[in-house]
Amino acid sequence: MKEVLLVILCYFIGAIPFSYILSAILGKVDIRSQGSGNVGATNVLRTVGVKVALLSFLGDLGKGALCALIGLYFGGELLAAFCALAAVIGHCYTVFLRFRGGKGVATTGGVILVLMPSVFLILLTTFIVVAVFTRYVSLASICVAAMFPIAALIMGESLSYVIMSLCAAIIVIYGHRENISRFRNGTESRITDKVSKDLQ
C-alpha cells in the first residue's frame, strides 16, 4: 500500500503544470491558447520568452528528479522506475488541466539525471547537437526519446530502468505525433531568430 500511495503521489507531483502556472503569473497569458497550445517549456519559449521558459523547464526537470529520488529512497530501483514513470504520465496527462499536459521531455530528463547520469550526459549532448544544427527542438526531443532505451541498455542499466525508459520513450514520442505530422507536411516550426538571439 505504501508503494502504491507513493506512485500516486508522484503522479500528482508530475501533474503540477509549471508552464501553465508561470506563464499565467509572469507572462499574464494562458499558454494553452498561445502558439501550439502545448503546456510545455518549448511553447513557453516561443510565446512568452526565455526567462519564463527556463523557469518552466527547471520546474519540470525538478519534479521528475524529485519523484525518482522519492522512489529510490523509499523502495529502491523498482519503485524508482514506477515513481519516475508516474511523474512523466502526470506531466503529459495532468489532472489539473483536464489531462492536457506537456510532452514529457524535461520531466523525463529529470528522471534520467537522477537514475542514469551517464545516460543523461549522452542524451543531453545529442539533444544539444540536433537542436543547434537543425534548430528543431521537437526533432531533438524525438531523437533523444528514441535513443533513451537504447542508451540505457548499452550502458548496462537495470531491467527496471530499461523497461521504464522504453515506456517513457513511447509516451514522449506519442506526445510528439502532431510534430511528426508537421514534419511530413513541411510545416514544423524551428527555433526563431528572436529566440536564438535571446539565448545568446
Side-chain angles (χ1 to χ4, degrees):
M1 180 60 70
K2 179 189 75 173
E3 287 79 7
V4 172
L5 291 175
L6 286 171
V7 171
I8 294 172
L9 171 65
C10 287
Y11 167 82
F12 281 102
I13 293 173
I16 300 172
F18 284 106
S19 293
Y20 173 80
I21 295 169
L22 293 171
S23 294
I25 295 174
L26 302 178
K28 309 300 182 184
V29 299
D30 183 343
I31 194 63
R32 296 172 297 178
S33 64
Q34 304 293 317
S36 66
N38 182 254
V39 187
T42 300
N43 193 34
V44 176
L45 176 65
R46 291 197 183 104
T47 59
V48 183
V50 174
K51 292 181 181 179
V52 180
L54 179 59
L55 291 174
S56 300
F57 172 81
L58 291 176
D60 292 342
L61 187 83
K63 66 189 183 184
L66 175 60
C67 290
L69 286 170
I70 288 173
L72 277 178
Y73 181 81
F74 288 101
E77 287 188 353
L78 182 59
L79 183 59
F82 276 106
C83 287
L85 196 58
V88 175
I89 293 171
H91 175 82
C92 296
Y93 304 98
T94 170
V95 67
F96 301 120
L97 297 176
R98 298 181 180 179
F99 302 100
R100 180 185 173 190
K103 297 177 182 177
V105 177
T107 303
T108 303
V111 166
I112 304 170
L113 178 62
V114 169
L115 301 183
M116 296 169 268
S118 57
V119 173
F120 178 84
L121 290 176
I122 294 171
L123 298 183
L124 177 62
T125 302
T126 302
F127 183 93
I128 293 172
V129 169
V130 175
V132 168
F133 281 96
T134 68
R135 297 178 68 187
Y136 284 116
V137 173
S138 55
L139 180 60
S141 300
I142 293 167
C143 287
V144 297
M147 285 182 59
F148 182 20
I150 299 172
L153 189 62
I154 291 175
M155 296 303 293
E157 301 293 345
S158 68
L159 180 61
S160 298
Y161 288 175
V162 171
I163 294 174
M164 180 271 292
S165 68
L166 179 61
C167 294
I170 291 171
I171 293 170
V172 171
I173 293 173
Y174 178 75
H176 284 82
R177 61 195 181 280
E178 293 180 1
N179 302 89
I180 295 172
S181 295
R182 288 194 292 269
F183 272 118
R184 291 175 177 171
N185 299 331
T187 58
E188 177 66 352
S189 300
R190 294 175 184 262
I191 300 174
T192 64
D193 291 334
K194 178 183 180 300
V195 170
S196 298
K197 290 177 181 178
D198 288 344
L199 289 171
Q200 292 175 355

